[in-house]
Every structure is written in structure tokens, then in C-alpha cells.
Amino acid sequence: MLDLSRLRERWPDREVHWRESVDSTMYEAQRLASLGCPSGTVVGADEQTAGIGRHGHHWHSEADAGLYFTAILRLPSPAPIVTLMLGVAIQEAIATVTGVRCDLRWPNDLLIGEKKVAGILAQLHEGAVLAGIGINVNHAALPVNIEDVATSLRLVTGHGCRRDDLLLSALESIDQHAALSKEDVLRLFARGSSYVNGRRVTVDGMRGVTSGLDADGFLLLEKENGGRTLILAGGVRPDPA
């Protein structure tokens, strides 16, 4: 099981619920949020048997290979801004521990090259934001059905990474970034993402060039056939044309 000793030293009063295996950390986080647990409570597991990705997709959660946790946050910011904030925070945490600088693909993916190494799922539940984080850390290989679109820190760097180091860095970074203003979050996300400005993309069959974020963190797209539209949700991908 993940070594939590330094985390408990750093935050002796933080509620941390860690399991060897769960279906999804999000489900236990929902239960704890409903019971009124404090902001900053962490629910994590060494393995998820039914990890949840965005739009109900499955998140591959190999035992003892990745970092899978949900932080329960009670913040005034709306969910779209929180999602961007979490992306910036995890980007910084990964860079601090490994030296690897990930790209941010709006709204919730962290990439190395064009392959996904981490994902974020932010859900509102009874006044709390459930911030689900999945990071591919020490996977030596990934399932055939996702190996063309996903990678791990080990596959990129050629060596393993201590998951407890990454968890400690992630929580510290989330705490720091949660205190930022909305304007600072938007600025940092735009600076850390190659997808926010001037990128030719497709979004659910629509093609165009990205032209920044609006004041609420949604993506602006200059459509190929003219006009501008606001992307509220959807899978943003590079336009191969």
C-alpha cells in the first residue's frame, strides 16, 4: 500500500481514506461529502476496479502502478474554473517531482506529446467539488486498446517514480492553486496549454482554430466555415488536416 507517513506528518489533521482496492474513489468521496467531511479530505486507492473518466469512460487503474485519488474541496469557484485549476496544479506537481512538463488539453487532460498521462474529473456533489485525479505513474505497459493514446511517467522517463512523492506534491499544489483568483487560473492554464490559442482542432466533428478562453474558462473556437463559437464541453483533438 502507498506510504502515507510523510503526508500525515505534513497534514496531521487532514482526513485521508486510503484503500488497497475500490471500485472508484469518486463513490466513496460522494458518501463522505454527503456526511459533511471537511474541505481537503482525500479518498485514494492503490487500485480501482471501475475507475471513472470523463463522460462515463473507464479509467485504467492498474494496482500499485498509478495514483488514483479524489480530493473533496469546498470552494466558491464554479466547476469549470476548478477543473482548469486542477490541471495547472497537477501539471506543476508532475514537473516538480519528475522534471517532465505536461501539456494541458482543455479542459481536463494532461499530455506528454500527444499521449494522455493524467486526467481530471470534477463533479459537484451537495455543495462540494469532488476532484478526481488519475495519473499513470509506473505502468510498464498499457492495454492495447489505449496504448496509442496514453502513456505513463515511467514509459516517458525510463524509470519509476515514488507515488507518495507525487501525491504529496499534488496535494500541496492543489492547496496553493485553490487560493488563486479566477483570472490567475485562466492565465496559468492558457500559458501551460498548446491548445488554448492558435491550435487547429476538431471538437465533436466541428473544425476550427482555438482563440482563447472566455471569462468562465470555456474555449473559444474560430470555426473553419466562419464565425466564432463557445465550446462548453466536448473532446478537443488536433485536426489532422
Side-chain angles (χ1 to χ4, degrees):
M1 184 177 287
L2 187 76
D3 182 2
L4 298 174
S5 57
R6 286 191 301 133
L7 188 155
R8 298 193 189 282
E9 272 182 33
R10 173 70 175 82
W11 298 288
D13 298 325
R14 188 190 289 259
E15 284 193 24
V16 180
H17 304 261
W18 205 272
R19 306 285 184 267
E20 287 189 12
S21 181
V22 296
D23 45 8
S24 168
T25 62
M26 293 292 280
Y27 297 144
E28 177 65 5
Q30 288 174 3
R31 185 184 71 82
L32 292 170
S34 296
L35 293 174
C37 69
S39 185
T41 296
V42 175
V43 180
D46 293 312
E47 176 190 35
Q48 295 182 117
T49 58
I52 303 172
R54 197 159 174 260
H55 299 311
H57 294 160
H58 173 71
W59 184 268
H60 175 65
S61 305
E62 179 184 336
D64 301 317
L67 192 59
Y68 323 116
F69 70 95
T70 298
I72 301 169
L73 307 174
R74 301 188 184 276
L75 302 172
S77 302
I81 293 296
V82 173
T83 298
L84 302 189
M85 178 276 289
L86 291 166
V88 173
I90 299 304
Q91 181 189 56
E92 181 177 289
I94 291 173
T96 298
V97 173
T98 69
V100 174
R101 188 72 176 177
C102 301
D103 193 8
L104 294 168
R105 181 170 64 195
W106 186 93
N108 66 329
D109 293 336
L110 286 90
L111 310 178
I112 300 175
E114 291 300 329
K115 292 189 175 184
K116 186 171 177 176
V117 73
I120 292 159
L121 178 63
Q123 293 182 344
L124 286 173
H125 183 77
E126 298 190 14
V129 176
L130 309 184
I133 311 293
I135 306 175
N136 297 336
V137 184
N138 290 325
H139 302 67
L142 290 161
V144 173
N145 63 316
I146 61 171
E147 65 181 359
D148 289 340
V149 296
T151 189
S152 74
L153 295 173
R154 177 178 176 178
L155 288 170
V156 169
T157 64
H159 56 79
C161 169
R162 286 180 59 103
R163 292 183 300 134
D164 58 324
D165 287 346
L166 193 54
L167 177 62
L168 192 69
S169 183
L171 293 177
E172 287 180 336
S173 190
I174 289 170
D175 286 351
Q176 292 166 4
H177 286 81
L180 296 178
S181 68
K182 179 172 71 171
E183 292 74 21
D184 282 340
V185 169
L186 294 175
R187 176 178 55 81
L188 290 171
F189 191 93
R191 189 174 73 184
S193 171
S194 71
Y195 279 80
V196 167
N197 277 295
R199 184 72 179 260
R200 292 192 61 82
V201 299
T202 63
V203 187
D204 298 338
M206 184 167 47
R207 303 171 72 178
V209 177
T210 59
S211 59
L213 302 171
D214 81 345
D216 294 314
F218 296 113
L219 187 66
L220 294 163
L221 184 72
E222 300 287 348
K223 294 190 292 184
E224 189 176 58
N225 59 359
R228 173 185 282 193
T229 190
L230 189 63
I231 306 300
L232 303 178
V236 176
R237 297 294 183 269
D239 186 346

